[in-house]
Amino acid sequence: MRSLTIRHVTTYRYRHPVAFGEHRMMLRPRDSHDQRVIEVSLEINPAPSSLRYEQDDFGNHIAIAEFAGVATELSFASIVSLEHSPDDALHPGLDDAAAIFPVDYGDDEMTDLAHCIRRHDIGTDDAVAQWARRFLPVDGQIPALELLTRLSQGIHDGFLYRRREAKGVQPPAETLQLGHGSCRDFALLLIDAARSLGLAARFVSGYLATMPDVAPTEAHGATHAWAQIYLPGTGWIDFDPTSGNVGKGSLVTVAVVRDPDQATPLHGTFVGSRSDTLGMEVHVSVTPHGSVTT
């Protein structure tokens, strides 16, 4: 187990004073068996006229701010301290029934998982499904975990990573055609490929907390996106196609959703012209505090 402090600062700047509409923030990590939030602070400047908190249908934490007055700058600073303890053992719960592809979801599971299997914008040639089937053996069976690992590794090895500042996510077929994308694009490609094979998959957003062997006072961190895929007898398994890794070793989960547009870290509006916008800056840092024993 390790203790981390994640500082995520977003600043918007404008040429002239503008008024601000409602802003929704998904910045607080989820509490689970492998990560526990200890302390949270949210600093907003200028201060909002109201700030409330709620949880969405997926159990993600949302902060909603409303503003009065005008300003040329708006900043959000989220500071979170948490304990992070991902299991080093890779999914020991995989049993024989879940191990071989195709997997069989029970009726009760299908009731809850159907929305994570349904696909969108498939296209006439269904290029994603054709690509995914390349990873199936010509004859014989394949363990489901091995198949999914092949898919994730196939994205890592076969596509060029490009950081994109633009909002939104590329359609999976476009990522296939272009041969490059961001972590969000790779996550969605893996999700759609898994769904094309009848597997339940969902989108995850959060932080990449990569720690060197000798931890400095501050380590590099970044916002990140990856996929979770459900296998009977095991549950949701994390796959990061950007790195090709399986499991949550360096991943801090903030939001788990069906589709990427439901996991925007920060979304809001302003009253003014498009030319008033000078830009946005985002800074993420992760500070380790050594091991924590229980």
Side-chain angles (χ1 to χ4, degrees):
M1 180 183 294
R2 59 185 178 176
S3 179
L4 307 174
T5 296
I6 299 173
R7 181 178 176 86
H8 183 167
V9 181
T10 303
T11 304
Y12 299 92
R13 294 186 173 88
Y14 302 90
R15 194 179 310 277
H16 305 289
V18 299
F20 304 109
E22 180 182 274
H23 281 65
R24 298 171 63 88
M25 294 148 275
M26 298 181 73
L27 301 171
R28 183 194 189 280
R30 295 168 64 103
D31 285 295
S32 63
H33 68 281
D34 53 17
Q35 63 182 43
R36 183 168 69 94
V37 175
I38 306 301
E39 186 176 2
V40 176
S41 71
L42 179 60
E43 302 172 4
I44 304 175
N45 188 30
S49 57
S50 70
L51 179 64
R52 68 184 190 275
Y53 299 88
E54 61 184 42
Q55 286 183 280
D56 64 12
D57 294 343
F58 305 99
N60 304 307
H61 298 275
I62 301 174
I64 303 172
E66 296 182 359
F67 299 87
V70 297
T72 57
E73 184 173 299
L74 177 62
S75 67
F76 300 83
S78 169
I79 305 172
V80 179
S81 296
L82 56 85
E83 292 176 355
H84 190 242
S85 54
D87 191 350
D88 291 334
L90 185 57
H91 318 299
L94 280 170
D95 58 25
D96 292 340
I100 303 301
F101 177 83
V103 301
D104 181 22
Y105 294 133
D107 291 341
D108 290 343
E109 288 177 316
M110 279 299 297
T111 300
D112 296 323
L113 297 175
H115 67 285
C116 288
I117 300 176
R118 190 178 304 115
R119 301 173 65 204
H120 309 285
D121 302 324
I122 297 174
T124 54
D125 59 350
D126 201 353
V128 174
Q130 294 183 43
W131 177 81
R133 285 195 291 268
R134 291 169 41 196
F135 296 88
L136 292 169
V138 177
D139 50 25
Q141 296 179 320
I142 183 172
L145 183 59
E146 180 182 341
L147 172 59
L148 294 171
T149 302
R150 286 186 183 182
L151 284 171
S152 183
Q153 193 67 45
I155 296 173
H156 170 68
D157 294 340
F159 294 79
L160 179 65
Y161 172 80
R162 285 189 181 176
R163 184 178 179 86
R164 288 193 302 109
E165 299 298 336
K167 295 181 179 180
V169 182
Q170 291 174 176
E174 183 177 342
T175 300
L176 278 179
Q177 182 179 20
L178 293 174
H180 61 73
S182 68
C183 60
R184 292 167 290 164
D185 306 321
F186 293 164
L188 185 58
L189 174 57
L190 178 58
I191 289 168
D192 196 47
R195 289 176 178 175
S196 77
L197 297 173
L199 295 165
R202 61 190 187 184
F203 185 90
V204 190
S205 68
Y207 298 104
L208 180 63
T210 304
M211 298 298 159
D213 293 336
V214 179
T217 56
E218 185 171 286
H220 293 291
T223 56
H224 198 47
W226 62 97
Q228 287 183 347
I229 302 173
Y230 187 89
L231 293 181
T234 299
W236 294 101
I237 304 174
D238 296 89
F239 293 86
D240 181 7
T242 302
S243 67
N245 293 334
V246 182
K248 279 192 64 175
S250 298
L251 305 174
V252 176
T253 303
V254 170
V256 174
V257 295
R258 181 180 64 252
D259 298 309
D261 58 1
Q262 299 168 312
T264 303
L266 178 57
H267 174 73
T269 60
F270 73 93
V271 180
S273 66
R274 189 179 297 273
S275 61
D276 288 332
T277 303
L278 292 177
M280 176 186 73
E281 294 179 0
V282 179
H283 298 282
V284 176
S285 65
V286 178
T287 305
H289 302 290
S291 299
V292 176
T293 58
T294 58

